[in-house]
Amino acid sequence: MNVEPQSLEALIGEFASLPGVGQKTARRLAYHILSQSKSDVQRFAENLINASTKVHPCPCCHAFTEDEICNTCRDRSGAKSICVVEKSSDIIPFERSGIYKGLYFVLGGTISPLDGIGPEHLHLPQLVSRIKEEGIEELVLALGSSTEADSTALMIDRLLQGVPVKRTRLARGIPMGSDLEFVDEVTMLRAFEGRVSL
């Protein structure tokens, strides 16, 4: 017999559907929400709705923004290097550490046949055309250190055959399978400075 009300069960289910949130954490979050005042819950709900309606991918680089074009694409329009990341949150460690002053491009994932993600699901055509149209001189691949990242890097290298752009990858200071958004600034700095040619 289930002792939790149906609406509470539904709320737990929503939290459990978030990446990295297990059933126990989902239940703890749901109970926390219910212990808050109505005005706090209302504010939380409004912030969720605001973010989902106002934030959208930048048409140039696919990073999240509230503006027509993100600040980086607007302020660094003359830059000649592009750092390719898997998701928008991967940009944060680069910006926080100040080690990179070029453009970014969010690929939207990595090739993972087991998860049903093929090259057609990523923003590969836009990346290639941006490199060609903007005369990009260096492409920095910052896709982490998984086998999926490796196969995605090889695919990008293949797509850019004959295009005069220097292609580099972060050094292997990043632990295998780790998520870039959780890498500390010193490790990121070493990996960036030690980047190697593809």
Side-chain angles (χ1 to χ4, degrees):
M1 185 178 121
N2 198 350
V3 295
E4 287 170 335
Q6 197 173 348
S7 52
L8 176 55
E9 254 188 63
L11 182 59
I12 292 168
E14 291 299 331
F15 280 121
S17 70
L18 298 172
V21 177
Q23 199 66 28
K24 281 184 180 178
T25 303
R27 181 167 277 106
R28 196 164 59 247
L29 291 169
Y31 274 87
H32 173 74
I33 289 290
L34 293 181
S35 72
Q36 300 298 295
S37 69
K38 291 280 185 275
S39 61
D40 285 346
V41 174
Q42 184 73 37
R43 190 179 68 248
F44 182 78
E46 284 168 6
N47 284 329
L48 271 177
I49 292 165
N50 277 341
S52 70
T53 54
K54 291 180 180 177
V55 177
H56 60 89
C58 170
C60 300
C61 71
H62 301 282
F64 287 134
T65 183
E66 281 189 352
D67 302 319
E68 193 177 334
I69 292 173
C70 76
N71 292 341
T72 308
C73 286
R74 189 183 59 242
D75 299 343
R76 303 178 189 174
S77 60
K80 292 299 176 190
S81 64
I82 284 187
C83 181
V84 178
V85 295
E86 186 180 336
K87 55 194 182 301
S88 196
S89 58
D90 292 338
I91 294 170
I92 296 166
F94 289 101
E95 288 299 294
R96 205 172 27 212
S97 63
I99 57 175
Y100 178 71
K101 301 295 182 193
L103 299 164
Y104 294 98
F105 190 90
V106 178
L107 210 50
T110 52
I111 297 168
S112 178
L114 291 176
D115 298 319
I117 302 170
E120 69 279 4
H121 296 101
L122 307 179
H123 303 128
L124 292 167
Q126 297 98 310
L127 173 63
V128 173
S129 59
R130 189 170 185 194
I131 289 167
K132 289 177 179 176
E133 288 165 16
E134 297 182 25
I136 298 299
E137 294 167 3
E138 183 183 8
L139 173 71
V140 180
L141 291 172
L143 298 174
S145 53
S146 63
T147 51
E148 292 83 6
D150 289 343
S151 58
T152 305
L154 287 172
M155 171 65 75
I156 292 170
D157 191 47
R158 225 174 288 139
L159 290 171
L160 291 171
Q161 287 301 319
V163 180
V165 59
K166 180 183 177 186
R167 300 186 274 283
T168 60
R169 245 191 121 170
L170 296 187
R172 295 296 183 177
I174 296 172
M176 191 66 178
S178 65
D179 213 324
L180 278 189
E181 65 180 300
F182 302 118
V183 173
D184 67 274
E185 291 171 28
V186 174
T187 303
M188 179 63 81
L189 178 64
R190 286 183 183 147
F192 189 82
E193 287 179 341
R195 62 191 186 277
V196 291
S197 294
L198 277 181

